[in-house]
Structure formats: C-alpha cells, structure tokens
Amino acid sequence: MSGERTAPGLPAGRIGKELITADEITARTAELGDRITADYQGRRPLLVGVLKGAVMFMSDLARAIRIPVEIDFMAVSSYGESTQSSGVVRIVKDLETDIRDRHVLIVEDIVDSGLTLRYLCELLTARQPASIEICALLVKDGAQADARYVGFPIPPDFVIGYGLDLAELYRELPSIHVFEPDA
Ligand code: IMP
C-alpha cells in the first residue's frame, strides 16, 4: 500500500498513523448493531446513509442489526476538495423514500463541525418522521453532535479510509488513518 497519491490540486501528504483498525471497527459496529436491534424492537427503521463517506459503515452496520431494516441514501456536499468546512451544505441526491411516520436513523461517517448533520436533521424533521436519530461512526472532539449512537470519539485531525476521503481518494482503505499533510 503506497501512502503517496498525487493529483493536481490535491493537498500534498500521505497516509499517516492508523487511528482505528479494521478489527476495532468491526467490534464496535457489532456493539452498535446490538444496541440498535434492542432499541428498535417491533419497528422497522429506515437507515439513511449519507453518501459517499458512510457507504462502508452503512453496509456493515445494516448487517450487524438483527431486525428488518430499510435503507436509503442522501448525498450532500460540504467540503469540496478542501480539508476545511466551507460552511455550505448542498443536497446532491435526495431520498427516494417518503419518511413521514417512519423511524429514521441517519448513518453518518464523521461529525466535525456538526453543520452537515444539523442541516440534514432540520430538513428531514420537516418531513414529519415518527422519530429521527443519528448514528455516527466518528465524532471529532469539540463537535456539536446530537448523535444517539457514536462509534468512536476522535481527535480533531483530518482522517481518511473506510469510506472517508480526501478529494475522493483513500476511501478504499480498510481502516481509519490520520492524513499527514506535508510540513
Ligand atoms: P461537518 O459538517 O463539519 O460535521 O462535516 C461533516 C462532513 O465533512 C462529513 O460527512 C465528511 O464528509 C466531511 N469530513 C469532516 N471531517 C472529515 C475528515 O476528517 N475526513 C474526511 N471527511 C471529513
């Protein structure tokens, strides 16, 4: 596995320290799946994955839940190709499911400022679901997160892998690494 990837406009740097191993992700996802299974007994939650970063987590989490679920996806864009939040959230793909009276569980890869989730929650709440909760794999220290289910709190570094990208690269890494920018 090479840590070096270059492309015009890509922040220069490399795959840094492994922060969370694939085994740790698997174990924590199983625990979250158990909690969600218990909390949603007798209901059929709609898992709403936030593309593209949550795709790996969504597919593993759905398989760790042992009650029937439905899945759907939304795509929002917040960062463009930078590692800094632009403060602008744009819906790129909306849900196909009518969520009125549904138990919605938003599945997100990472909460940084919390801006993306706050916007999504407001938007989806206006559609009158029966309930709405958040399951976030990673929550950065200092994030404004109202997530009921959290995989791992992490330091406020920029991380890559297991769905998380930098300018569309590194999503395929099986574990989560810190991105190490050139000094
Ligand atoms: P927020 O709106 O600042 O909470 O940012 C949320 C979104 O920004 C996430 O869904 C990711 O797509 C992206 N993001 C935030 N921090 C990171 C990171 O460390 N690595 C990769 N993407 C990130």
Side-chain angles (χ1 to χ4, degrees), residues 25 28 36 47-48 50 61 82 84 95 99 106 109 179:
I25 296 170
R28 186 70 184 130
I36 293 166
L47 308 185
V48 171
V50 185
L61 182 70
S82 147
Q84 297 288 305
L95 294 174
I99 63 166
I106 300 176
D109 51 358
F179 178 75

Side-chain angles (χ1 to χ4, degrees), residues 118-181:
R118 201 169 327 131
Y119 176 83
L120 262 184
C121 276
E122 275 171 25
L123 182 97
L124 297 184
T125 301
R127 298 179 188 178
Q128 302 181 300
S131 68
I132 185 159
E133 298 289 353
I134 294 165
C135 179
L137 177 65
L138 307 173
V139 175
K140 286 192 189 175
D141 290 345
Q144 301 268 327
D146 208 4
R148 177 157 182 190
Y149 308 97
V150 174
F152 304 90
I154 60 163
D157 300 314
F158 196 84
V159 291
I160 50 175
Y162 193 65
L164 289 151
D165 75 312
L166 174 62
E168 297 301 325
L169 289 175
Y170 308 112
R171 292 193 196 276
E172 74 283 6
L173 301 178
S175 58
I176 292 167
H177 294 253
V178 173
F179 178 75
E180 202 178 284

Side-chain angles (χ1 to χ4, degrees), residues 50 78-79 85 108-117 140 157-160 164-165:
V50 185
S78 57
Y79 277 18
S85 177
E108 176 64 305
D109 51 358
I110 186 164
V111 189
D112 184 357
S113 66
L115 194 86
T116 308
L117 272 178
K140 286 192 189 175
D157 300 314
F158 196 84
V159 291
I160 50 175
L164 289 151
D165 75 312

Side-chain angles (χ1 to χ4, degrees), residues 58-77:
M58 172 73 145
S59 71
D60 286 339
L61 182 70
R63 285 175 289 181
I65 299 172
R66 283 162 290 103
I67 52 170
V69 298
E70 287 180 38
I71 64 174
D72 202 343
F73 291 95
M74 286 189 87
V76 297
S77 132

Side-chain angles (χ1 to χ4, degrees), residues 2-65:
S2 162
E4 299 287 349
R5 295 173 204 209
T6 53
L10 186 68
R14 66 196 52 72
I15 301 169
K17 179 179 120 180
E18 187 176 50
L19 197 64
I20 304 169
T21 67
D23 284 349
E24 286 168 337
I25 296 170
T26 303
R28 186 70 184 130
T29 303
E31 286 170 8
L32 292 173
D34 285 347
R35 276 182 55 202
I36 293 166
T37 301
D39 291 351
Y40 285 86
Q41 279 300 325
R43 293 182 279 168
R44 183 158 43 94
L46 175 70
L47 308 185
V48 171
V50 185
L51 294 172
K52 305 174 197 169
V55 116
M56 314 289 181
F57 182 44
M58 172 73 145
S59 71
D60 286 339
L61 182 70
R63 285 175 289 181
I65 299 172

